Each structure stands twice: as C-alpha cells, then as structure tokens.
Amino acid sequence: MKTAIERHNNNECIVIPVILRGFVTGKYSFSSLKYIPTDGKSIDSFKTQNAGFVDVFTSIKSLLDSYFKIK
C-alpha cells in the first residue's frame, strides 16, 4: 500500500480505493484519495451488488476518459 500511494503521489500510477463493504473511517494512507463507488458508499450498500459494480465501472471509465482524452 505504501509503495502504491508513493507512486500515485509521484504521478506514476493511479490508485482508486474501491469500497466493497462499510468500514470505520479514519486516517489511513489512502484517506486523501477519491473513493468509489460514488460518494464513498460501499458496494454492499446499493440496492443490488450489480448496481454498485456498475457505479464503480462508470466511475473508473469516467476517470480514464478524463486522463486519456483524444484531441
């Protein structure tokens, strides 16, 4: 985790925390990153798990589209 966060901070990779289940928030090495699904909800809090995974896919696709815009 430490290496991944360091690489993210050095713009060598992108780290995207995906919240599968609820957890106790606090000061973690990934606390400053944008969580997905939307609004930091966990996948298991969606009406169906599939809806949560669709939200994750959409969020990652949007992020990648913004990083790799073809001009």
Side-chain angles (χ1 to χ4, degrees), residues 24-67:
V24 177
T25 57
K27 182 128 174 99
Y28 300 106
S29 57
F30 55 86
S31 294
S32 63
L33 302 174
K34 181 181 179 220
Y35 300 8
I36 56 175
T38 305
D39 300 328
K41 294 183 345 184
S42 60
I43 287 176
D44 69 351
S45 70
F46 283 77
K47 187 170 184 170
T48 66
Q49 251 190 358
N50 189 62
F53 284 114
V54 168
D55 187 278
V56 166
F57 173 83
T58 303
S59 297
I60 291 173
K61 183 181 180 319
S62 176
L63 177 67
L64 290 175
D65 287 347
S66 70
Y67 273 96

Side-chain angles (χ1 to χ4, degrees), residues 6-14 67:
E6 286 173 1
R7 291 188 63 210
H8 176 87
N9 291 338
N10 292 331
N11 295 316
E12 297 173 12
C13 71
I14 301 169
Y67 273 96

